[in-house]
Amino acid sequence: MSARDRILGKLRAAPVQTPVEPDVAGYYARHTLHTPLLARLQHFSLMMRAVHTELIFTRADSWPQALAQRAAQAGWQHVLLAPNTVHGARAAQALQGLATPPQLKAYDRPIDDWKAELFNEVDAAFTTTRAGIAETGTLIVWPDAHEPRAMSLVPPVHIALFDASRLYENFYQAISQEGWANGLPTNSLLISGPSKTADIQQTLAYGAHGPRELIVLVVTPDDIDLAELEAAQ
């Protein structure tokens, strides 16, 4: 009998063991904090601002004005958005009301038809988000036909509209309550700040592989005091 046959014989004679699946749900049931939304928002803010993310706390009826004010401050000349969505139409209306409105662009063509324009002319892109994770200070973005992946990747500034009522404690709670098991898009993005790298001489640089600025419009429920939220930073 060869060495190969002896080894294979031992493997075949070994008792079959059924792997024990970890109790993931039980683990997170014991370790998820279930803190109030205010505390989650404070931690989310702390984590995101630690990596140079700009947060603007606003309300459901006033976020378009907050966006327009920020656009005027920055002097963006070309803004990419999805005008056929509800949030995109509201953003477009607010931006067009500025004294010097930016030129609005829509992602309505194959990328090869306007690649140079997208990469060289668009100053900022505005998209919505699906949810957020307080533990890590993360936005969840699900690109679709109206807001393709390139909108949050190519322009140097990404403005994200985030509904704070969909801020979860951790990733497990997010995927459970958002029903990820029922279906996923082609891309599901977890964004925890502007693009950055330290590959070259360990020098931290922003914007190397994506937007160098991330601005989050945090739509906050009316029962949370915005001043209290900001004061806790």
Side-chain angles (χ1 to χ4, degrees), residues 62-74 76 91 93-98 102 217:
S62 59
W63 68 258
Q65 290 69 41
L67 170 63
Q69 183 178 5
R70 187 64 181 84
Q73 178 188 4
W76 297 321
Q93 183 178 22
L95 292 170
Q96 288 170 336
L98 290 172
L217 297 172

Side-chain angles (χ1 to χ4, degrees), residues 3-93:
R4 176 178 178 275
D5 292 336
R6 286 195 296 273
I7 293 172
L8 290 176
K10 289 181 180 178
L11 292 174
R12 290 169 180 146
V16 177
Q17 296 181 349
T18 303
V20 178
E21 294 187 1
D23 181 14
V24 177
Y27 174 86
Y28 280 101
R30 295 190 299 273
H31 293 88
T32 299
L33 296 176
H34 301 289
T35 54
L37 179 56
L38 175 60
R40 268 178 281 150
L41 273 171
Q42 290 171 336
H43 188 75
F44 174 80
S45 172
L46 182 67
M47 297 297 287
M48 294 220 85
R49 283 175 167 160
V51 291
H52 292 196
T53 300
E54 178 180 344
L55 298 183
I56 300 174
F57 292 102
T58 182
R59 302 292 191 193
D61 59 353
S62 59
W63 68 258
Q65 290 69 41
L67 170 63
Q69 183 178 5
R70 187 64 181 84
Q73 178 188 4
W76 297 321
Q77 297 183 4
H78 300 91
V79 175
L80 178 64
L81 48 71
N84 293 327
T85 62
V86 173
H87 59 276
R90 292 184 67 190
Q93 183 178 22

Side-chain angles (χ1 to χ4, degrees), residues 156 194-197 205-213:
S195 171
K196 56 185 177 298
T197 181
Y206 287 85
H209 306 298
R212 66 172 182 269
E213 292 184 45

Side-chain angles (χ1 to χ4, degrees), residues 122-173:
V122 174
D123 299 303
F126 170 75
T127 76
T128 188
T129 60
R130 184 179 177 91
I133 301 169
E135 185 176 68
T136 53
T138 302
L139 295 172
I140 299 172
V141 177
W142 284 38
D144 59 17
H146 296 290
E147 295 180 343
R149 169 71 178 105
M151 287 183 66
S152 59
L153 177 67
V154 177
V157 180
H158 178 205
I159 311 132
L161 180 65
F162 170 52
D163 180 357
S165 66
R166 301 183 76 160
L167 179 62
Y168 298 99
E169 291 278 5
N170 51 45
F171 184 56
Y172 179 80
Q173 190 180 64

